[in-house]
Amino acid sequence: MNASLTPRPVRRARIASLATYVPPKVLSNADLEKMVDTSDEWIRQRTGIRERHIVDPGVATSDLAAAASREAIARAGLTPSDIDFIVVGTTTPDMLFPSTACLLQAKLGADHAWGYDLLAACSGFTYALTTASQMVASGASRYALVVGADVMSSIIDYTDRTTCVLFGDGAGAVIVEASDGEAGMIDFLNYVDGHGGDALCMPAGGSLRPASKETIEGRLHYVKQDGQSVFRFAVRNTEDACRRLLERNGIDASHIDLFVSHQANQRIIRSAAEKLGIPDEKVVINIERFGNTTAGTIPLALNDAVDEGRLKAGDLLLVASVGAGFTVSAILMRWGLKA
Ligand code: UT7
């Protein structure tokens, strides 16, 4: 039989290393009180956010992505030349094209990699991770670099109090490789409900409404959100996706060691966890320091959990996200970074 026709065995993919980056500048609730009609009390009570990091002018998504990626590659004991595949989950690419993955490939000197951007809003990291894992599991990729990175401050209207208090900038990167043991992806459940498109979007700047005097005067190049309908969808679908994933794997929620959800609002996370029967001590919430960094939240939360000793090799991890689109994702994995 021709060797090239031999099917590749399906392997389990695991996260080999993890690193994150946030820009140094902090925008606190007190700072926002001076910019719009809001209060620290309202922001903390309704969202859990205390502060968020934002970039200085001229710093782009690929810069944040490169900082996190360099560290992730080093922590995996690799060099940029070892990377053969790059997926960047982002809603705020440096520019419409070329992709941020291409810009990142050049910045890293990842001279053996191909790659692309994946737009799934707040599910950007989870969609990218599940996609790259399939490439690794099939044998098509040996070392995949998965990035979730967003400079939300580039598309936020800092005169709109309903959105400007929510978002921050940040990035996370992981190396995905084949697992030689129990660690790695067990299963994932991703889906889309495209009817929710209007509830959270940036109306202009694409082919439907290219930039014009009218779109700029109408402030249409900024995030617009119907917060309450997104909130309701997020709570219902975080729970639904996780419940269905656990059920089809015959796993009871009590066996989950840690629940890491997208950080959009601590009330969404707590409510979904409560409905799933996952107690507070197994729930990661770090939104108070970073706000909603869109594709950055999950790696930022994983990183904190590792640093705090809450996520250890062998732990059963449930990850979930809901984002604009709507996009929904739930992932079940056995944690196990390279020693
Ligand atoms: O990651 C992508 C997915 N995004 C999300 O998951 C976000 C989901 N939605 C949410 O997290 C919440 O809906 C928000 C945090 C955006 C808003 O919280 P809420 O409890 O749903 O508040 P609301 O929109 O019902 O507004 C309540 C009141 C309103 O005033 P009135 O009409 O009751 O007088 C708002 O105008 O709060 C007012 N308000 C504010 N007040 C002070 C809205 N934003 C602010 C603000 N400061 N920043």
Side-chain angles (χ1 to χ4, degrees):
M1 190 180 178
N2 182 334
S4 65
L5 296 178
T6 310
R8 292 169 167 148
V10 173
R11 305 169 301 176
R12 181 177 278 192
R14 69 162 181 162
I15 292 178
S17 69
L18 160 70
T20 60
Y21 179 80
V22 292
K25 185 162 66 185
V26 169
L27 183 68
S28 68
N29 290 351
D31 296 328
L32 285 160
E33 282 177 347
K34 295 176 202 136
M35 297 159 66
V36 288
D37 180 16
T38 191
S39 67
D40 174 52
E41 192 194 356
W42 190 96
I43 301 170
R44 277 191 291 111
Q45 268 185 6
R46 302 283 179 136
T47 71
I49 303 167
R50 217 169 6 98
E51 59 187 35
R52 64 292 286 144
H53 292 247
I54 62 165
V55 298
D56 286 318
V59 177
T61 296
S62 67
D63 297 314
L64 274 50
S69 298
R70 282 192 193 101
E71 185 61 26
I73 292 168
R75 287 184 187 180
L78 301 175
T79 70
S81 294
D82 294 317
I83 304 302
D84 53 33
F85 180 49
I86 300 173
V87 200
V88 179
T90 187
T91 307
T92 52
D94 288 24
M95 52 192 101
L96 262 182
F97 72 90
S99 72
T100 305
C102 291
L103 303 173
L104 178 62
Q105 184 266 352
K107 283 185 179 176
L108 296 174
D111 46 7
H112 293 124
W114 69 289
Y116 52 79
D117 291 359
L118 188 157
L119 203 169
C122 298
S123 301
F125 180 78
T126 50
Y127 275 28
L129 179 62
T130 49
T131 305
S133 294
Q134 303 314 298
M135 298 290 285
V136 169
S138 72
S141 167
R142 181 155 187 220
Y143 296 119
L145 171 63
V146 176
V147 179
D150 272 298
V151 174
M152 293 305 292
S153 60
S154 66
I155 55 168
I156 291 300
D157 182 352
Y158 284 98
T159 67
D160 176 4
R161 71 175 182 172
T162 68
T163 52
C164 75
V165 302
L166 305 174
F167 294 94
D169 302 338
V174 298
I175 302 297
V176 180
E177 66 173 14
S179 175
D180 46 13
E182 284 299 300
M185 302 276 290
I186 297 167
D187 194 10
F188 67 91
L189 195 160
N190 292 348
Y191 57 90
V192 158
D193 180 353
H195 299 292
D198 287 344
L200 181 50
C201 66
M202 187 173 94
S207 55
L208 178 64
R209 289 196 196 91
S212 68
K213 191 164 171 284
E214 288 70 33
T215 62
I216 290 168
E217 284 172 359
R219 307 186 81 75
L220 301 181
H221 295 271
Y222 292 122
V223 170
K224 308 284 175 197
Q225 174 171 245
D226 171 359
Q228 285 191 5
S229 62
V230 177
F231 189 100
R232 281 193 297 272
F233 184 91
V235 172
R236 199 169 57 244
N237 285 274
T238 302
E239 183 203 351
D240 275 5
C242 290
R243 194 178 293 287
R244 281 163 51 196
L245 184 65
L246 291 174
E247 269 171 19
R248 80 179 184 195
N249 284 277
I251 292 172
D252 191 84
S254 62
H255 293 124
I256 296 298
D257 293 304
L258 203 68
F259 177 51
V260 174
S261 177
H262 170 54
Q263 310 278 311
N265 188 320
Q266 73 169 6
R267 290 187 292 140
I268 295 176
I269 304 168
R270 288 210 193 284
S271 168
E274 195 182 320
K275 286 172 199 283
L276 287 164
I278 301 175
D280 281 357
E281 65 270 18
K282 293 184 173 181
V283 179
V284 177
I285 295 184
N286 68 351
I287 192 172
E288 67 277 4
R289 285 163 41 229
F290 301 119
N292 180 351
T293 54
T294 301
T297 64
I298 303 265
L300 281 165
L302 288 173
N303 198 54
D304 276 358
V306 171
D307 282 354
E308 291 161 13
R310 299 180 68 193
L311 182 55
K312 299 172 293 300
D315 280 354
L316 188 58
L317 175 68
L318 179 63
V319 173
S321 64
V322 170
F326 294 113
T327 54
V328 183
S329 187
I331 304 174
L332 199 53
M333 67 175 110
R334 184 74 63 187
W335 190 251
L337 293 178
K338 249 183 186 153

